Amino acid sequence: MAHAFIEGSNADMTATDTQKNTVYFVAKQCSQRCTPEEYAIALAKHYVKTYPKVSKAKIRVEEQPWKRIDVGGTPHQHGFAMTGTEVRTADVSVDDQDKVEVTSGVNNFRVLKTTQSGYEGFLHDKYTLLPDSRDRILATAITSNWKYSGHVEDYNKAYEGAKAAIINKFYGPPTKGVYSPSVQYTLYQMALEMFAKVPEMDSVFFNLPNLHFLPLSPVTSKFENDIYVATSEPHGDIEAVVTRKDAMPHAKL
């Protein structure tokens, strides 16, 4: 497609209008409900096979968490509500040699626990005001994506397994939880659990902003683990890519 940039020629170029209409056409060809990953693969393959100038297609699909609502304990026939903040993502590339690469993920998965979290033993110097703590609120908005090593039989099952692993290691058992000495440690434990639950997964990327809820002593009173101030800035972003042994890591998207 270099000629479009260098020569000003639009010969054999695929217009945005064509691409947009193709998105709906390929969706119509799906004979049954499919996963975001399956739809992205079908769309990418169509572009590569249909247009000679396209040697590789990259597709990103996002799925919002709409769920059927209950009214009086009965599932509504046509009523849905958005049940969370998280967005399921699928990034697919297909080339003219039919090589398929799939990366799944979740964005803005907001989680919080009111105890079983601390941060202590870190470096203190003249610039440090933060005290050590063995009991604090831990909150973050998880962005994560993971790369598969080969064929995945059921992308929904893989996604639910990955999300369950995140939940299990962030919160711990319902009656007692699990202690987190740092966001970094919890990140790594979540990644290990994801590898255990989803064997097709090769590597996983995490971005975990440290969302602070600061203890506050209102005027004429003292703090009794009851009043907190939610702050958005400033905060640290904890990022890492965790990879299975001998697997190629992937960069964040």
Side-chain angles (χ1 to χ4, degrees):
M1 299 183 184
H3 63 277
F5 296 87
I6 298 171
E7 302 171 7
S9 170
N10 296 323
D12 296 321
M13 295 297 293
T14 308
T16 304
D17 178 68
T18 304
Q19 297 173 44
K20 176 199 69 177
N21 295 329
T22 301
V23 167
Y24 305 133
F25 172 80
V26 172
K28 184 68 173 179
Q29 305 312 302
C30 297
S31 59
Q32 58 186 5
R33 183 177 179 180
C34 63
T35 66
E37 291 85 355
E38 290 166 336
Y39 172 65
I41 291 171
L43 186 58
K45 286 186 174 182
H46 175 91
Y47 286 129
V48 172
K49 292 179 179 179
T50 304
Y51 303 106
K53 292 291 185 183
V54 178
S55 60
K56 188 174 186 177
K58 294 182 178 181
I59 306 295
R60 180 176 179 85
V61 176
E62 297 184 353
E63 181 182 80
Q64 301 283 351
W66 292 98
K67 301 292 183 183
R68 190 179 301 276
I69 64 170
D70 287 350
V71 177
T74 301
H76 198 279
Q77 182 189 46
H78 52 266
F80 292 80
M82 192 169 289
T83 58
T85 60
E86 75 273 13
V87 175
R88 178 178 173 178
T89 63
D91 290 272
V92 168
S93 69
V94 177
D95 65 17
D96 53 8
Q97 302 302 310
D98 210 28
K99 180 182 178 182
V100 179
E101 293 182 343
V102 179
T103 301
S104 300
V106 61
N107 285 357
N108 200 34
F109 181 28
R110 291 182 173 265
V111 292
L112 177 150
K113 60 181 184 180
T114 58
T115 188
Q116 285 285 54
S117 171
Y119 192 60
E120 55 188 340
F122 54 91
L123 184 149
H124 288 259
D125 63 13
K126 63 181 180 181
Y127 306 108
T128 306
L129 296 177
L130 182 70
D132 284 14
S133 173
R134 282 197 58 82
D135 190 14
R136 64 172 183 168
I137 291 176
L138 178 59
T140 187
I142 298 172
T143 291
S144 178
N145 55 68
W146 49 92
K147 187 175 181 180
Y148 299 109
S149 57
H151 176 71
V152 178
E153 188 67 32
D154 188 335
Y155 285 106
N156 281 336
K157 182 179 178 181
Y159 176 80
E160 293 301 331
K163 190 175 175 183
I166 291 172
I167 292 171
N168 289 345
K169 289 302 180 179
F170 183 86
Y171 294 107
T175 57
K176 62 179 182 179
V178 61
Y179 183 72
S180 169
S182 69
V183 177
Q184 291 87 338
Y185 180 81
T186 297
L187 180 157
Y188 186 61
Q189 295 305 308
M190 291 191 297
L192 295 181
E193 182 77 356
M194 292 168 80
F195 290 157
K197 286 187 173 293
V198 187
E200 304 96 331
M201 188 185 299
D202 252 5
S203 64
V204 56
F205 162 79
F206 275 107
N207 171 273
L208 304 180
N210 203 350
L211 305 181
H212 299 294
F213 289 78
L214 304 180
L216 176 68
S217 299
V219 292
T220 72
S221 61
K222 64 178 181 178
F223 176 70
E224 296 178 309
N225 294 318
D226 51 358
I227 306 298
Y228 296 85
V229 177
T231 63
S232 58
E233 301 291 348
H235 69 259
D237 275 21
I238 290 82
E239 288 191 355
V241 174
V242 183
T243 305
R244 288 188 192 270
K245 186 178 180 181
D246 301 327
M248 287 293 293
H250 74 286
K252 75 172 186 177
L253 298 175

